[in-house]
Amino acid sequence: MKRIEEQLGWGDSSQWSSRDFDRLGDKIHEQTGVNISNNTLKRLWGRIPYQSNPSTATLDTLSQFIGFENWSAFVAHGSRLKSAEPKQLNEVVKKPAVKRGLQKKMIIAATLIGCVLVVLAVVPFSGRTIGTPDYIFIPKKIANGLPNSVLFSIDASYAGENDKIEIQQNWDRRRRQLINRKDSLVASLYYTPGYFDAKLVVNDIVVKEHPLMIPSNGWMATLETGAAPVYFDPSEFKTVDGVAISPDLIKKRNTGIPITETFVNYFWVEDFKGLALNDFVMETTLRNVSFDTNISCQKTHIIILCEGEVVIIPLSIKGCIADLELYYLDRAITGSRNDLSNFGVDDFNNWATVKCVSKNNNFSIYVNDNLAYEIPTKGEDNKIYGVKYHFQGTGAISQLKLSNSGKIFLNE
């Protein structure tokens, strides 16, 4: 893997984005004619947890990518290179350019074989391989509600005097807090519930990460302000019919936020032990409450909070579907290049139903009983920790049900 990184020249792979893995997949396809998915490449690089070894077809394709017929030829060349005496290797280097080209392939093969064997023997695609025992990074929550301060016990003394050391609260690199290498305890503030991968970052490289869940303790609702959110008491938005924050309640808070920049969020976050993405059903009923004609699209997102990733289901009125984006873990599906028309609703002031079904390596999304999109999956078993609703303007929810083939985990 290291040799591939060096040939690509894209920098440290721990900092690669999902788009970088897409680009690598494109290069492999251009050279071999075979598609290796973004997720498979991420597993090979230890970025996605997976308890399995790569298939022979994948190894054949990687071998072809560096100029060999298949994996067997790759291994054979690597074995011959490993057994060669130094004198023999020197003689090969002194031969004409054609032979030197073969020698280069053999060196590349040996390097890639070594890297692949290290991955198979040490990592076995478990994904959580980032880190070194020389660093300590352990979070501890201080409160049960929100906002919530988290104390991080830290030992970053292994870093150099001039190294840049930061805490990253979650996936967002913009949310980094600069610390000193001699700090042993650092507090960080979390404003919303969720499942977070907190990270210790040295010189922009993640050296430790630790999962952190902050539950919502039932329904929670916030109003975005650009800084600390405005929190609503459950007595203000919970009714016998569900949850709803009215336009009048928002105006009553007198936050000074323009109507066109008003966003309301609802959360339900908890540890649903045994609920995972490979066997999962979500059913919900919701509506976007438009209280100003300037909010024309009534964009709404249902965000399924998963271990390490999210699924984002977009909704809007019919006329705005070209501007929607559907996300499944690390895959982005844009309305400008895909048919997302069934994510549009005729009148979002009325109730709409959304249902997600994940089974048999397929993720299906239904809107108002119509199939909106199907996504082939790879058996991803990320744990599910809850749902967030994000309304442009405000909204209401009358049902949320989470289940799998054997159990109902939540029925609100």
Side-chain angles (χ1 to χ4, degrees):
M1 303 304 171
K2 184 177 180 180
R3 179 62 186 181
I4 292 178
E5 294 173 26
E6 291 174 352
Q7 288 183 212
L8 293 170
W10 297 348
D12 189 340
S13 64
S14 68
Q15 302 299 312
W16 285 3
S17 66
S18 183
R19 186 179 297 275
D20 289 323
F21 285 99
D22 285 335
R23 290 165 59 202
L24 176 55
D26 290 341
K27 284 183 174 291
I28 292 172
H29 181 260
E30 288 172 7
Q31 187 161 327
T32 67
V34 177
N35 284 311
I36 297 181
S37 72
N38 184 298
N39 275 351
T40 297
L41 291 172
K42 284 188 172 183
R43 291 182 185 117
L44 287 166
W45 262 263
R47 299 284 288 274
I48 293 179
Y50 198 62
Q51 302 297 329
S52 178
N53 291 335
S55 67
T56 301
T58 297
L59 294 175
D60 283 344
T61 301
L62 290 175
S63 302
Q64 292 164 13
F65 184 57
I66 59 168
F68 288 85
E69 181 181 357
N70 52 35
W71 173 251
S72 297
F74 184 13
V75 173
H77 275 287
S79 298
R80 286 200 292 273
L81 179 62
K82 185 177 179 180
S83 63
E85 295 295 330
K87 181 179 178 181
Q88 292 173 309
L89 292 177
N90 289 334
E91 290 175 353
V92 173
V93 172
K94 292 176 183 178
K95 290 182 179 181
V98 174
K99 297 295 184 181
R100 288 201 300 271
L102 176 59
Q103 171 67 8
K104 182 179 180 181
K105 285 185 177 180
M106 293 171 68
I107 293 172
I108 293 171
T111 303
L112 185 54
I113 288 172
C115 291
V116 171
L117 291 179
V118 166
V119 171
L120 293 177
V122 180
V123 184
F125 302 97
S126 61
R128 299 293 182 188
T129 60
I130 296 172
T132 166
D134 298 300
Y135 292 95
I136 294 174
F137 182 63
I138 303 172
K140 178 184 177 182
K141 290 181 292 184
I142 298 304
N144 291 322
L146 285 156
N148 199 326
S149 291
V150 176
L151 290 180
F152 292 95
S153 297
I154 297 172
D155 183 351
S157 58
Y158 183 75
E161 289 284 352
N162 299 318
D163 287 342
K164 182 176 67 172
I165 308 169
E166 298 169 292
I167 292 175
Q168 182 174 314
Q169 289 190 334
N170 52 30
W171 58 270
D172 190 348
R173 296 184 185 183
R174 296 170 299 177
R175 298 295 301 276
R176 286 185 178 180
Q177 178 182 358
L178 191 65
I179 65 171
N180 190 288
R181 66 188 292 269
K182 295 182 180 180
D183 289 332
S184 60
L185 196 66
V186 176
S188 192
L189 189 59
Y190 286 77
Y191 287 106
T192 60
Y195 179 88
F196 309 98
D197 278 324
K199 307 174 192 299
L200 181 64
V201 185
V202 178
N203 293 333
D204 292 323
I205 297 174
V206 178
V207 297
K208 283 288 186 181
E209 65 180 5
H210 203 293
L212 173 67
M213 191 190 73
I214 299 178
S216 62
N217 299 318
W219 281 114
M220 181 177 181
T222 66
L223 175 67
E224 291 185 8
T225 65
V230 172
Y231 298 97
F232 294 95
D233 188 271
S235 62
E236 294 180 290
F237 64 85
K238 290 184 68 175
T239 71
V240 293
D241 298 320
V243 294
I245 293 176
S246 68
D248 289 340
L249 178 57
I250 293 174
K251 293 173 182 178
K252 182 180 178 181
R253 287 300 180 95
N254 192 28
T255 60
I257 302 171
I259 296 297
T260 54
E261 298 176 17
T262 298
F263 296 92
V264 165
N265 299 306
Y266 296 96
F267 302 84
W268 189 296
V269 180
E270 69 173 90
D271 187 1
F272 297 104
K273 299 183 187 302
L275 184 60
L277 196 56
N278 58 347
D279 179 14
F280 170 67
V281 178
M282 182 197 75
E283 300 168 79
T284 188
T285 304
L286 72 163
R287 66 189 183 104
N288 184 297
V289 181
S290 178
F291 55 95
D292 190 274
T293 56
N294 291 323
I295 304 178
S296 55
C297 285
Q298 294 178 267
K299 285 185 180 178
T300 300
H301 297 92
I302 303 170
I303 304 167
I304 302 171
L305 306 174
C306 308
E307 182 181 19
E309 301 277 1
V310 294
V311 177
I312 303 178
I313 300 166
L315 299 163
S316 72
I317 63 170
K318 285 281 189 183
C320 294
I321 58 97
D323 200 32
L324 297 182
E325 285 189 308
L326 167 67
Y327 290 88
Y328 179 84
L329 303 183
D330 58 352
R331 283 177 259 178
I333 302 161
T334 64
S336 60
R337 294 291 185 272
N338 299 274
D339 183 2
L340 301 185
S341 57
N342 279 340
F343 289 97
V345 295
D346 293 318
D347 184 356
F348 215 168
N349 290 303
N350 293 325
W351 294 104
T353 62
V354 176
K355 182 176 182 179
C356 301
V357 181
S358 180
K359 64 178 181 180
N360 300 327
N361 294 328
N362 193 69
F363 191 88
S364 303
I365 305 170
Y366 300 86
V367 178
N368 288 331
D369 297 323
N370 297 314
L371 180 63
Y373 212 86
E374 282 189 316
I375 303 171
T377 65
K378 303 291 184 180
E380 294 91 350
D381 59 354
N382 306 56
K383 293 179 181 178
I384 292 174
Y385 288 94
V387 180
K388 171 184 175 181
Y389 296 79
H390 179 74
F391 290 95
Q392 180 186 33
T394 187
I397 305 162
S398 67
Q399 181 200 28
L400 173 61
K401 182 178 179 181
L402 304 179
S403 62
N404 64 13
S405 56
K407 180 180 177 180
I408 296 174
F409 291 82
L410 176 67
N411 192 6
E412 278 286 314

